[in-house]
Amino acid sequence: MFILIGLGVVLACVFGSFVASGGAIGPLLASMPFELLTILGAAVGTFVMANSIGAVKHLPAGIKKAMKGSQYTRQDYLELLGLLFHMTRLAAAKGMMAIESHIEDPQGSTVFGAFPKIRDNTHVCSFICDYLRMAGMNATDPFQMDDVMGRELKKNLREEMHLPHALQSVSDALPALGIVAAVLGVIKTMASISKPPIVLGEMIAGALVGTFLGILLAYGIVAPIAGRLGGVVEEEASYLDLVRSVIVAHLQGNAPQVSVEIGRKSIPSDLMPTFQEVEESLSAVAVN
């Protein structure tokens, strides 16, 4: 939503000020379709050449993610803390073998059943179960577990950040592609040098539209989208990092309440629930 609002402000200010200052919008609009075809066509071609088919397929989903923002809310973090609290409490009270049935069959687990959104998120559920299973296989060294989980999280973040970086590369190329379109317009103008000055003036103005559009697309549209998508990816990465914090704290011998509190501190500040909210959320969920 904010991307659309920002885009509207950018276009209104750029074109509105141009018209308000006495600029002729006619030549601009007449040249724009051909210049856009040159610039955007070249940008799409460079994007396809520089990236894998997977990145190309994920582009629409990436744009959608940038527009919608992070999928995780404060309530989602509360639910994740609740799930991890009940799992670590069960493991602390009865041993790691007590949670084996829950991690081997999350769909039939009463603990996961109390948090259906996490249970139905295949990626998150698998991440939790995999590392709790490792802990049950005597991988109880907190430093080793922290290193292993950290490396997977870094790998996931690196893969997810590929699309924002690819869009930023396109943004960096757009001004140069705009110059390419402008040069083509100048070549066309020079080929018609014998025409009257008024005609040449319109042709030169049309050629300059390419430079204008290249810069506007780069810094007014594509770069902000790339930056926003990167921010969303990093914010969503904090969700799984919370799992790492709680499991490592548990393996260090902390009580479930302490482990959850350590995890709470790793949540982004604008989404971090208060200590009282966590306490109320934990007491409100009954797990058999």
Side-chain angles (χ1 to χ4, degrees):
M1 176 58 72
F2 286 105
I3 285 183
L4 296 178
I5 294 174
L7 178 60
V9 172
V10 168
L11 296 180
C13 290
V14 170
F15 291 99
S17 64
F18 177 73
V19 174
S21 63
I25 197 71
L28 187 64
L29 295 178
S31 302
M32 194 173 295
F34 304 102
E35 301 295 331
L36 283 176
L37 177 61
T38 301
I39 298 169
L40 292 181
V44 170
T46 57
F47 182 83
V48 171
M49 286 190 292
N51 296 278
S52 65
I53 186 64
V56 175
K57 289 181 178 179
H58 289 151
L59 180 59
I63 301 300
K64 183 179 179 180
K65 177 183 288 190
M67 296 181 67
K68 292 182 63 177
S70 174
Q71 62 178 309
Y72 301 120
T73 64
R74 179 186 293 253
Q75 183 60 35
D76 292 322
Y77 280 98
L78 280 171
E79 291 183 3
L80 182 57
L81 286 172
L83 171 66
L84 295 171
F85 169 75
H86 288 290
M87 294 296 282
T88 54
R89 185 179 65 171
L90 183 60
K94 300 181 179 180
M96 294 301 297
M97 294 301 295
I99 67 173
E100 182 177 0
S101 60
H102 298 284
I103 61 179
E104 294 300 335
D105 182 23
Q107 298 299 320
S109 165
T110 55
V111 177
F112 280 96
F115 306 94
K117 189 172 181 179
I118 300 175
R119 179 196 62 196
D120 296 336
N121 188 325
T122 305
H123 179 58
V124 175
C125 185
S126 297
F127 185 82
I128 296 172
C129 292
D130 286 348
Y131 285 101
L132 287 177
R133 186 181 296 109
M134 286 181 61
M137 296 166 61
N138 292 325
T140 56
D141 184 342
F143 298 103
Q144 182 184 35
M145 184 67 77
D146 187 30
D147 179 62
V148 174
M149 297 182 78
R151 278 189 278 129
E152 180 173 354
L153 291 174
K154 287 180 181 178
K155 180 199 70 172
N156 292 342
L157 180 59
R158 183 172 62 252
E159 292 174 350
E160 290 293 325
M161 285 297 292
H162 176 74
L163 187 55
H165 291 158
L167 287 175
Q168 185 58 52
S169 297
V170 172
S171 173
D172 295 338
L174 279 170
L177 295 177
I179 293 175
V180 170
V183 170
L184 291 176
V186 171
I187 293 173
K188 178 182 175 182
T189 302
M190 296 305 294
S192 306
I193 196 67
S194 60
K195 292 186 178 181
I198 188 172
V199 176
L200 292 177
E202 290 185 355
M203 295 179 70
I204 293 174
L208 293 176
V209 171
T211 302
F212 160 71
L213 288 176
I215 297 173
L216 177 62
L217 290 171
Y219 301 114
I221 299 179
V222 179
I225 291 176
R228 174 57 179 157
L229 179 56
V232 172
V233 168
E234 290 179 347
E235 185 177 314
E236 291 185 346
S238 300
Y239 192 72
L240 288 181
D241 190 60
L242 171 59
V243 179
R244 180 193 63 81
S245 298
V246 174
I247 291 180
V248 170
H250 169 71
L251 293 178
Q252 289 173 336
N254 293 292
Q257 293 88 344
V258 176
S259 299
V260 166
E261 178 61 15
I262 292 174
R264 184 182 74 87
K265 294 295 186 179
S266 69
I267 299 174
S269 299
D270 57 333
L271 296 172
M272 184 173 68
T274 64
F275 179 84
Q276 290 76 15
E277 287 176 326
V278 174
E279 288 293 306
E280 292 173 2
S281 176
L282 294 179
S283 60
V285 178
V287 177
N288 297 322

